[in-house]
Amino acid sequence: MIKKEFAKIGKQIIRQLSSTVEKYKDIEDHMDLDAHGNPTIKTVAEHHRLSKSQISQLIFYHFLHVDERGIICDVSEKEIAAALNCTVRTVRNNNVVLAETELISYSRSGKGINICIVPYPQYFEEHGFGFMELEYTRFEELILIENVNALRLELRKELVYDNDTIKRQFNPGENTSKISFNDYKIFTPKYTHYKGMMQKIAETQTSAFKTVVQGSTIFFVLKDGAKNGKMSKQEKKDQYDAAIRRTIEETFVKLSGHSTDSTGIVMSSFQNEDIADLVQLSFEYGIERVKSALYSLIEQAFFSHDAQVVENYGGKIRTLIRKELSKNLQDQVPAELTAS
């Protein structure tokens, strides 16, 4: 199972995971009749708090290969369980709850399960709530937090800090974000609604934020050297862009035997949009897979006897990677045959 380095997670989902998930239900009110004597229909909101395991599992799904509809195909329950350090039974029970709260739908497939993250398309709508980037290494740290309320608070800090990005553009020197005690009470369970408990929960320190409780307010700032998802991804984008351009030049030099001064013809074939597509594929499949596929593509497109014009480098690279992954999967020996 290939996991992406960064996941795009809807801000509304993060808000609900750190608080309660709202599920709307129509019910008949037999005490309030309409003009024809029929019970009226009222919409009520049910509020559900997810467990630490359920929160982690839903976030984890965002790191898999999700298409624009929010669909993930042929996911192994065993691999999900291994990534989350839980049992397959827990994975299945969590899926039932996530489906009941209408966050996902799922079905069995020949290779595991198919999953649909129901609200996923809404993340990218023009008038939607938007999304935030989360790095997988940060996610690995989050799922190690034992206290579920500390996890909820940490997710809320990620959300608040990301939302404060616009504010920091106008005041670059102000890097501190805050959550007031009143805000804290909105998204946490009632039994935590006193300052001693808030202080205890906020004391869970991670590598991302330095947190201080002063009076009735939780103040937090990124630690020295730490980056939030948006900052980390931009840094990786620059690294991958440079690596891909360097790979194109070095591959051409190796295959042609010419010096780097002769790479203009091949570099001119790759537009900035092509490079951007390859950078995105690097986030999905890893930079090494993209570089390997890029070598094969250049060899086929520029140095083979039956070379053909490539109109979509990103699409071609994706096809090459998928073929290689499919071949590797077919070549794997079933685990049942190698188990002792």
Side-chain angles (χ1 to χ4, degrees), residues 111 143 145 155 187-188 210 216 221 236 258 286 315 328 335 337:
K111 300 178 181 178
I143 62 176
I145 297 175
L155 288 172
F187 65 86
T188 52
K210 178 181 180 181
S216 299
V221 63
K236 281 290 181 70
H258 297 161
N328 292 341
L337 299 182

Side-chain angles (χ1 to χ4, degrees), residues 123-305:
Y123 301 172
F124 313 101
E125 291 178 355
E126 183 178 355
H127 301 293
F129 292 99
F131 62 88
M132 52 177 277
E133 302 274 3
L134 188 66
E135 192 169 9
Y136 191 74
T137 53
R138 171 65 171 149
F139 169 71
E140 289 180 309
E141 182 180 31
L142 289 175
I143 62 176
L144 292 177
I145 297 175
E146 294 184 2
N147 185 291
V148 65
N149 290 311
L151 173 60
R152 291 180 179 127
L153 178 58
E154 202 68 13
L155 288 172
R156 187 57 65 113
K157 287 194 288 187
E158 288 279 355
L159 177 63
V160 171
Y161 195 87
D162 190 83
N163 286 340
D164 286 347
T165 301
I166 296 177
K167 182 177 68 177
R168 288 192 293 273
Q169 290 177 351
F170 296 97
N171 189 2
E174 182 52 63
N175 292 320
T176 304
S177 293
K178 62 183 180 180
I179 297 173
S180 70
F181 187 45
N182 286 334
D183 290 337
Y184 166 86
K185 289 193 292 185
I186 292 174
F187 65 86
T188 52
K190 286 185 178 180
Y191 69 85
T192 71
H193 291 178
Y194 61 93
K195 292 180 183 178
M197 179 64 82
M198 182 184 77
Q199 174 86 38
K200 184 177 180 180
I201 292 172
E203 284 175 351
T204 301
Q205 300 285 347
T206 66
S207 65
F209 296 110
K210 178 181 180 181
T211 305
V212 175
V213 178
Q214 185 173 313
S216 299
T217 305
I218 302 171
F219 294 92
F220 54 99
V221 63
L222 280 179
K223 291 182 178 179
D224 290 341
K227 301 177 181 65
N228 70 342
K230 189 175 295 183
M231 298 161 62
S232 294
K233 188 164 187 180
Q234 184 56 54
E235 187 176 272
K236 281 290 181 70
K237 275 185 178 180
D238 296 338
Q239 293 174 2
Y240 289 163
D241 185 285
I244 288 167
R245 293 178 189 274
R246 185 167 58 250
T247 297
I248 293 172
E249 292 186 1
E250 292 175 351
T251 300
F252 183 79
V253 169
K254 182 175 182 179
L255 293 174
S256 68
H258 297 161
S259 68
T260 55
D261 295 334
S262 304
T263 61
I265 184 172
V266 67
M267 285 303 299
S268 64
S269 299
F270 289 83
Q271 305 298 317
N272 288 334
E273 294 80 2
D274 297 317
I275 302 297
D277 287 343
L278 299 183
V279 168
Q280 182 58 42
L281 288 174
S282 299
F283 283 116
E284 292 184 36
Y285 296 102
I287 184 64
E288 294 305 320
R289 285 192 181 91
V290 171
K291 288 165 62 176
S292 176
L294 192 53
Y295 184 96
S296 299
L297 176 63
I298 292 175
E299 186 176 37
Q300 294 174 18
F302 294 91
F303 296 95
S304 66
H305 295 296

Side-chain angles (χ1 to χ4, degrees), residues 48-101:
H48 303 269
R49 285 196 186 276
L50 299 183
S51 69
K52 174 181 176 292
S53 178
Q54 291 155 6
I55 292 171
S56 301
Q57 191 162 316
L58 180 61
I59 295 176
F60 177 73
Y61 286 156
H62 290 75
F63 285 97
L64 304 181
H65 282 276
V66 191
D67 70 14
E68 66 278 2
R69 300 165 297 172
I71 294 175
I72 313 162
C73 296
D74 299 329
V75 185
S76 165
E77 292 172 314
K78 289 183 179 180
E79 291 182 348
I80 297 171
L84 299 177
N85 194 27
C86 66
T87 66
V88 171
R89 180 181 292 275
T90 298
V91 169
R92 290 173 178 171
N93 290 340
N94 287 346
N95 280 335
V96 171
V97 174
L98 294 174
E100 288 176 346
T101 51

